[in-house]
Amino acid sequence: MEPRRRVWGSWPEPGELERSVVTIGVFDGFHRGHVALVEAALAAGTRRGSPTVLLTFDPHPLAVLAPAQAPRQLLPVDDRVEHAFALGVDCVVVLPFTAELAEQSATDFVEQGLVGRMGVESLVVGSNFRCGRGGEGDVDHLRRAGRRHGFDVRVVDLVRRGERTCSSTEVRRALAAGDVHDAFDVLGRHDPRIAAAAG
């Protein structure tokens, strides 16, 4: 039986998740772009009859890589998990972002984690996604890995609202300028928790 509505606080143990459709990101704020990723992953999961898994990180990678540049968190990880389940995701993996993970090569991240621990059949990422040491694992790298290991890679274009790209950075920029309306437009919903977090 496939797992449903389960949260892992690290990589699943071997055999716990034998196949999956995975989308990866920090998902801070869960804005329109994040929703587009999840919807694409859900569609792929439905086609394959496989569980859809959202893989996120805590803390924010910049809190480890460049603490002075780390952004203020828009949503705590529990709220991100809640949003994922509300959209229909089956499982969530919250991967602790550590110095060791930051130094892991993209090849090892894919082979040991996505393939070895999650049985990834389809990977859904944004066009600007990167993983692995120094951000070496770009979309081209992931596609080559997919050909080696038998999974496909679906790339979702960045979502735009007029001149704005829907991103957590754009949400923070709007909130810093006191423009809550624009922040909520990028988010795609009215979320007083995010407005309060910015205060």
Side-chain angles (χ1 to χ4, degrees):
M1 187 175 73
E2 297 294 352
R4 289 290 185 268
R5 291 183 67 87
R6 179 168 181 181
V7 180
W8 282 276
S10 61
W11 291 113
E13 290 299 316
E16 285 189 307
L17 194 56
E18 295 182 353
R19 59 197 181 97
S20 64
V21 172
V22 181
T23 185
I24 311 177
V26 178
F27 293 95
D28 192 16
F30 241 108
H31 53 68
R32 293 176 187 273
H34 294 145
V35 172
L37 282 173
V38 171
E39 288 177 344
L42 288 169
T46 297
R47 287 194 302 271
R48 290 179 173 275
S50 297
T52 302
V53 184
L54 182 144
L55 172 60
T56 188
F57 303 95
D58 191 54
H60 192 290
L62 281 178
V64 174
L65 298 171
Q69 300 172 33
R72 186 169 183 173
Q73 186 171 258
L74 293 172
L75 281 180
V77 69
D78 287 349
D79 286 352
R80 286 180 264 155
V81 171
E82 178 186 315
H83 275 287
F85 285 143
L87 288 169
V89 164
D90 296 304
C91 308
V92 177
V93 174
V94 181
L95 204 58
F97 197 91
T98 62
E100 291 75 21
L101 182 62
E103 282 301 309
Q104 187 178 40
S105 70
T107 296
D108 285 348
F109 180 83
V110 171
E111 293 181 355
Q112 296 174 16
L114 297 180
V115 176
R117 296 298 188 94
M118 299 179 72
V120 63
E121 296 177 324
S122 184
L123 179 64
V124 180
V125 295
S127 57
N128 61 346
F129 178 78
R130 303 180 83 91
C131 65
R133 183 174 52 240
E136 64 188 4
D138 61 7
V139 167
D140 288 340
H141 184 286
L142 294 172
R143 282 176 168 153
R144 290 193 297 271
R147 288 192 290 271
R148 285 197 303 274
H149 295 286
F151 64 87
D152 65 71
V153 177
R154 164 77 191 277
V155 179
V156 176
D157 290 335
L158 300 180
V159 174
R160 298 187 63 82
R161 294 286 290 174
E163 297 300 312
R164 295 190 303 272
T165 298
C166 293
S167 68
S168 301
T169 298
E170 191 61 39
V171 174
R172 293 188 187 91
R173 184 179 295 118
L175 291 173
D179 196 336
V180 176
H181 178 271
D182 274 4
F184 288 168
D185 185 55
V186 172
L187 284 171
R189 67 184 187 282
H190 180 87
D191 194 329
R193 293 171 300 178
I194 287 181

